[in-house]
């Protein structure tokens, strides 16, 4: 018996070592995230939540819709995040007269070859900024559906895949409605997050003035340097998908989504794509925090930005001024959070 007990005691540390070795090493990911946030913070004051969610979407292989009034650094933050990543960046300014071919590209006749060659549009980048996405007509917005979901564009019956990593960062102004087109629900559902950008605080406003005063004639693009190669993002995405999430947390996500389909204040609830979005986004948040497992707090952190654009409130609640975030918080407060 004593020999058997000693053998078990010797095996226990070995099992612990094997378990420790099998855990995901997130040191490289954490270093990359900290470096990108440090570069962006050279210019952007505040807006930490926006930058964090953009990075989480980048790591979770998702797209982001950023909504805010003009001048709150929506476009600038997207540009700086893209610049901190060593990948191809493209920007498309959506206007009411923009056609799908202006975004995707079009076949051009080559007289030397006596054939048509496909000229790729600006959307064929790694990180694509679509500025004021709600200004383009439905035809042009629909051209992004296949690109965002399938990571490819089909022209004249031929498919052209997007180079990984691929991400769409779209901005829109919630105030000015003249000359805009509301995004259809099918397209909104393709965005992992909808980030609502608030005004800066008074202290942050003072910091913005001070920082740009001292910058003088320095060009913003010269301040932020690439710190992460685009090809590395693909490897980090695979690493994040392998993170642990307990079954009780999956049950919690399923209950949360199910409640959006049966709530009196909601006309249209979230789809199964929202469940997957919460799971993948919570894994990215956990990895950014240096953990190889998901906690309830990770799920709660991403629930609102994942769901706010995927539900439609009942008409009477909209008339009362109730917001999607208030209803989502109400649903979460009515659920038992697993521990």
């Amino acid at each position: 018996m004593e020999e058997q007990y000693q053998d078990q005691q010797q095996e226990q540390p070995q099992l612990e070592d094997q378990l420790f070795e099998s855990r995901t090493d997130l040191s490289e990911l954490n270093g990359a995230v900290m470096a990108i946030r440090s570069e962006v913070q050279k210019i952007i004051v505040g807006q930490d939540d926006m930058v964090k969610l953009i990075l989480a979407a980048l790591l979770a292989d998702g797209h982001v819709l950023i909504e805010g009034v003009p001048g709150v650094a929506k476009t600038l933050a997207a540009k700086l995040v893209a610049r901190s990543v060593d990948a191809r960046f493209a920007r498309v300014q959506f206007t009411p007269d923009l056609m799908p071919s202006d975004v995707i590209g079009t076949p051009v006749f080559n007289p030397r070859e006596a054939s048509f060659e496909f000229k790729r549009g600006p959307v064929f980048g790694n990180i694509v900024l679509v500025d004021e996405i709600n200004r383009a007509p439905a035809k042009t917005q629909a051209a992004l559906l296949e690109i965002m979901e399938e990571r490819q564009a089909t022209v004249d019956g031929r498919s052209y895949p997007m180079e990984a990593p691929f991400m769409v960062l779209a901005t829109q102004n919630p105030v000015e409605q003249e000359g805009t087109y509301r995004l259809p629900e099918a397209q909104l559902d393709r965005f992992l997050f909808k980030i609502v950008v608030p005004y800066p605080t008074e202290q942050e406003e003072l910091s913005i003035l001070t920082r740009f005063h001292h910058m003088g004639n320095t060009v913003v693009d010269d301040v932020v340097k690439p710190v992460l190669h685009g090809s590395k993002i693909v490897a980090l995405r695979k690493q994040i998908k392998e993170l642990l999430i307990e079954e009780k947390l999956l049950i919690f996500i399923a209950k949360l989504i199910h409640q959006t389909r049966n709530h009196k204040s909601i006309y249209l609830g979230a789809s199964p794509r929202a469940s997957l979005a919460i799971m993948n986004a919570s894994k990215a948040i956990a990895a950014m925090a240096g953990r190889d497992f998901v906690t309830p707090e990770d799920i709660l952190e991403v629930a609102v930005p994942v769901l706010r654009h995927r539900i439609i409130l009942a008409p009477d609640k909209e008339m009362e001024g109730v917001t999607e975030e208030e209803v989502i918080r109400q649903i979460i407060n009515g659920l038992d959070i697993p521990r």
Side-chain angles (χ1 to χ4, degrees), residues 158-171:
R158 183 177 177 182
S159 297
Y160 299 89
M162 302 293 166
E163 181 182 349
F166 178 74
M167 180 187 190
V168 172
L169 293 168
T171 68

Side-chain angles (χ1 to χ4, degrees), residues 61 63 123 125-126 128 147 151 162-168 237:
D61 194 12
H63 310 294
V123 78
N126 296 119
V128 181
I147 296 171
R151 277 23 178 214
M162 302 293 166
E163 181 182 349
F166 178 74
M167 180 187 190
V168 172
R237 285 175 174 178

Side-chain angles (χ1 to χ4, degrees), residues 143-161:
L144 288 177
L145 283 176
E146 180 188 12
I147 296 171
M148 294 173 65
E149 182 65 22
E150 305 295 337
R151 277 23 178 214
Q152 67 177 22
T154 302
V155 180
D156 290 343
R158 183 177 177 182
S159 297
Y160 299 89

Side-chain angles (χ1 to χ4, degrees), residues 34-61:
M34 291 178 62
I36 293 175
R37 296 182 76 170
S38 176
E39 289 295 316
V40 173
Q41 288 171 356
K42 291 179 180 178
I43 303 297
I44 299 294
V45 177
Q47 309 297 8
D48 292 335
D49 291 340
M50 174 175 60
V51 175
K52 182 178 181 181
L53 289 176
I54 291 176
L55 291 177
L58 179 64
L59 295 173
D61 194 12

Side-chain angles (χ1 to χ4, degrees), residues 194-334:
K194 178 183 178 182
I195 304 173
V196 177
V197 185
Y199 281 116
T201 64
E202 183 178 347
Q203 186 59 43
E204 289 173 344
E205 192 106 20
L206 177 60
S207 299
I208 293 171
L209 293 171
T210 304
R211 182 169 300 183
F212 276 83
H213 168 66
H214 289 299
M215 283 179 60
N217 294 322
T218 304
V219 180
V220 171
D221 290 345
D222 294 338
V223 176
V224 176
K225 305 297 182 183
V227 294
L228 178 65
H229 196 274
S231 60
K232 200 64 182 178
I233 296 176
V234 179
L236 295 178
R237 285 175 174 178
K238 294 179 180 179
Q239 193 176 33
I240 287 175
K241 288 184 177 180
E242 298 175 353
L243 264 59
L244 303 175
I245 180 168
E246 296 183 10
E247 185 177 357
K248 62 181 181 181
L249 296 182
L250 297 177
I251 294 174
F252 176 69
I253 294 174
K255 286 183 177 180
L256 172 60
I257 299 302
H258 185 73
Q259 285 297 315
T260 65
R261 303 168 191 163
N262 297 277
H263 198 276
K264 62 181 181 180
S265 300
I266 298 177
Y267 172 72
L268 179 67
S271 68
R273 187 183 281 121
S275 302
L276 296 172
I278 291 179
M279 181 184 70
N280 294 331
S282 61
K283 286 183 178 182
I285 293 293
M288 291 171 64
R291 287 180 279 101
D292 63 350
F293 59 91
V294 176
T295 65
E297 287 72 22
D298 299 325
I299 296 174
L300 297 179
E301 184 172 352
V302 301
V304 172
V306 166
L307 294 176
R308 61 159 54 107
H309 59 294
R310 287 184 161 95
I311 63 174
I312 299 178
L313 298 181
D316 57 326
K317 295 299 179 182
E318 287 187 346
M319 293 179 64
E320 294 174 7
V322 177
T323 65
E324 291 85 357
E325 183 171 347
E326 291 173 352
V327 176
I328 296 169
R329 298 290 185 192
Q330 183 181 353
I331 293 175
I332 291 175
N333 293 335

Side-chain angles (χ1 to χ4, degrees), residues 47 68-76 173 197-200 205 208:
Q47 309 297 8
V69 298
V72 291
K74 302 186 303 295
T75 302
L76 180 60
N173 178 4
V197 185
Y199 281 116
E205 192 106 20
I208 293 171

Side-chain angles (χ1 to χ4, degrees), residues 176-196:
E176 188 177 359
Q177 300 300 324
E178 185 177 353
T180 63
Y181 302 82
R182 180 179 176 180
L183 297 182
E185 280 68 30
Q187 185 170 357
L188 285 172
D189 203 30
R190 262 66 175 186
F191 288 101
L192 179 68
F193 294 137
K194 178 183 178 182
I195 304 173
V196 177

